[in-house]
Amino acid sequence: AKNDNDDDNKDSMMTSLFGEHEQVSNNVEPDRQVQTGGHLGLCAAFRNDGRLIAVGTDAGETRVCDVTMRSTLTTFSANRFSVRAVEWFRNGQYILAAGDDAVARVWNLSSTNKEKPLLSLEGHGDVIRCVALWQQKQSSASSGSQEWSQLAITGSYDHTIRVWNVQNVEKHMEEGRCLAVLMHGAPVEAVCLLKSENPDVPMWLLSVGGTTIKVWNPLSGQCISTVSTFHRKTITSLVPVLRTNYEEDDIRFKKVSLRILTAGLDGVVQFHSFDAKTAFMRHLYSTKLNDSITSVATDTTGDRFAFGTVSGEVFFRMKGPSIVSKKRTNEPHAGTYSFFQRGMNEAPSAGDYTVTTQKKKKRKLSKHDRAIKEFRYSEALDLVLATKQPKVIMGVLEELSKRKGLTHALSNRDENSLDPIVNFIIRNIRKPHFTSTLIGISHKLIDIYEVVAGNSPGIDDHFRRLRRQINIECQGQKGLMVLVGQIETFMIPAGEPIDDDTPA
């Protein structure tokens, strides 16, 4: 289903990405810093209250830091494998971390044992690159209290996405935690969960791998749709964005739409619309940065974007100032400077004489011209020979010679396909305005097919007929030269010396 206001949404999103407010990481001063012990930080996630941040490092550590005090509160480490993804539980007490050892672990913030996780989720065969948590409050039928239903999603380079039950992690029960294994078909780089308006689907799961996006029902394991994007390289980021647009400037009616942002190593950023009821996705528009994108972040309003690149720079894009207050309210008077600066998109007023230009019909190309345009030179030559129009055929031969495709068009032919070309040369080589071009084509044919001379009776017969025709023409030319010499002898007056250059 197409949204009638998609064009307005595109304009608004384009403004946010191409606004004048552009900054690079070298020009932005950090607000504060947290220490990672000299190790490289690979991922980070804020707790829902914004006071704590969990950072995964290449040393296999999951560090929990106080943002205000800039101090490390605790460090969890099970091994030396890099931690690639971290996520906080809604209660702010548990952390889900996963990395290069293909194991997802749940850590308890108040635990005294920093090397033993609360729960280990094993099953992937390669690096885990992304994690996501789905937590929903539901009523208990027995006690009538509110309980949380919690699922963990992990995406790996083994081409699979696993759905885990992380309810009651305090029981330390690791068996039977994996609820579903979804096959994406490519190394999974990112996953995200979206609210569903379909009563049969509790939530939508989106996964990206390669250049495709897949939409899943994570509980049933059904792949709802596969979306082929316009990316040419691997997609590295998948971010849901809420876009706020105003339908009419006078009423200022605000509409919030969900958009799916994808970014990849080709530097392209793409926006897709998403229907929460049918999970239908449609590409809206794309834009490109000058560097490969590895990560994307946005604020809650979708007005600010941060793009991390492989060169180490961070590009910021933000929505520009509103132009509603600067729009003209009164129509300018005719003849004034403002009247002539209205622009080409200004609609004509009542009584204006409108001058329009008639659109020219697009010229329809012939079959051989279309074949030349698509670089199918051999087919173009066959098609033009079938027309039996010498001038058209000579025009195509000259065009193929300019494109340096004549050798390709004449090569790899058998007796039957070579026959029309030789017949055309035999018929027209004696015509003065065709002779020079057809002599060059004859030389090229001899160079191409001299290696098969004597092997194919049909090809040998073609060249015999061509030689016979050339011999006839040469004998005729010699006879004419003799006749010219005799005529000039009779035309010279008596007594004048005969020049040495005059033919006898």
Side-chain angles (χ1 to χ4, degrees), residues 228-403:
S228 297
T229 63
F230 293 95
H231 287 280
R232 299 192 175 209
K233 293 184 179 180
T234 303
I235 302 174
T236 56
S237 302
L238 176 70
V239 180
V241 182
L242 291 177
R243 297 297 305 160
T244 303
N245 299 289
Y246 292 95
E247 302 299 323
E248 297 181 11
D249 295 337
D250 299 335
I251 305 175
R252 301 294 291 168
F253 174 71
K254 185 169 69 173
K255 182 180 179 181
V256 179
S257 304
L258 178 63
R259 297 289 180 260
I260 305 300
L261 182 151
T262 59
L265 295 178
D266 53 0
V268 176
V269 181
Q270 296 186 3
F271 280 90
H272 307 263
S273 63
F274 184 80
D275 190 345
K277 188 173 184 180
T278 61
F280 175 75
M281 291 184 63
R282 185 168 65 89
H283 177 263
L284 294 180
Y285 87 103
S286 305
T287 184
K288 194 175 189 307
L289 299 184
N290 296 327
D291 207 347
S292 299
I293 301 172
T294 56
S295 58
V296 179
T298 181
D299 61 353
T300 55
T301 61
D303 291 338
R304 293 176 176 85
F305 296 88
F307 299 95
T309 62
V310 294
S311 62
E313 293 183 333
V314 180
F315 293 94
F316 293 93
R317 296 288 190 274
M318 62 184 298
K319 191 173 183 179
S322 176
I323 62 174
V324 176
S325 58
K326 299 182 180 180
K327 285 187 176 181
R328 185 183 303 279
T329 56
N330 299 327
E331 291 293 332
H333 296 289
T336 61
Y337 177 79
S338 300
F339 180 82
F340 292 103
Q341 294 296 319
R342 294 175 299 168
M344 61 181 294
N345 296 323
E346 183 72 17
S349 305
D352 289 348
Y353 182 77
T354 306
V355 180
T356 59
T357 58
Q358 186 178 4
K359 292 184 179 179
K360 294 183 179 180
K361 279 190 174 181
K362 195 173 182 180
R363 183 183 175 187
K364 187 176 180 181
L365 296 176
S366 58
K367 292 182 179 179
H368 55 268
D369 286 336
R370 196 180 303 113
I372 292 176
K373 190 176 181 180
E374 296 174 359
F375 305 100
R376 295 182 282 114
Y377 297 145
S378 181
E379 183 180 348
L381 183 57
D382 293 337
L383 291 171
V384 75
L385 287 170
T387 62
K388 297 183 179 181
Q389 299 179 14
K391 292 184 179 180
V392 178
I393 296 173
M394 290 301 298
V396 171
L397 290 173
E398 291 175 359
E399 179 64 23
L400 291 175
S401 179
K402 290 178 181 178
R403 289 171 172 255

Side-chain angles (χ1 to χ4, degrees), residues 50-67:
R51 295 183 58 185
L52 300 182
I53 183 173
V55 181
T57 68
D58 62 345
E61 298 176 347
T62 303
R63 288 175 169 261
V64 180
C65 305
D66 190 319
V67 177

Side-chain angles (χ1 to χ4, degrees), residues 460-471:
D460 293 346
D461 182 64
H462 290 323
F463 284 104
R464 286 193 200 97
R465 291 190 294 119
L466 179 59
R467 183 180 63 180
R468 189 181 308 115
Q469 188 68 17
I470 294 175
N471 288 336

Side-chain angles (χ1 to χ4, degrees), residues 28-169:
V28 179
E29 294 294 333
D31 181 63
R32 63 198 70 180
Q33 298 179 357
V34 293
Q35 298 297 327
T36 58
H39 302 296
L40 180 64
L42 300 178
C43 56
F46 278 98
R47 198 167 70 171
N48 50 16
D49 58 0
R51 295 183 58 185
L52 300 182
I53 183 173
V55 181
T57 68
D58 62 345
E61 298 176 347
T62 303
R63 288 175 169 261
V64 180
C65 305
D66 190 319
V67 177
T68 305
M69 303 298 296
R70 293 175 292 180
S71 59
T72 301
L73 302 181
T74 183
T75 302
F76 302 105
S77 179
N79 50 45
R80 302 293 295 177
F81 289 96
S82 301
V83 177
R84 299 283 179 178
V86 292
E87 193 72 31
W88 286 87
F89 280 70
R90 190 182 295 269
N91 60 9
Q93 188 67 23
Y94 302 143
I95 301 172
L96 176 64
D100 289 357
D101 59 352
V103 179
R105 295 178 175 85
V106 179
W107 300 95
N108 187 357
L109 195 61
S110 59
S111 174
T112 57
N113 190 347
K114 308 301 181 182
E115 297 181 355
K116 183 178 180 181
L118 194 62
L119 181 65
S120 296
L121 306 175
E122 301 179 1
H124 282 292
D126 206 337
V127 178
I128 298 177
R129 292 287 296 185
C130 51
V131 297
L133 285 172
W134 178 71
Q135 302 169 83
Q136 183 181 20
K137 186 178 290 186
Q138 60 184 6
S139 300
S140 176
S142 58
S143 61
S145 60
Q146 299 289 330
E147 297 180 354
W148 288 98
S149 177
Q150 299 179 349
L151 296 178
I153 313 294
T154 56
S156 171
Y157 272 9
D158 62 359
H159 299 198
T160 63
I161 304 130
R162 287 182 177 259
V163 183
W164 309 87
N165 178 16
V166 289
Q167 186 78 7
N168 300 323
V169 294

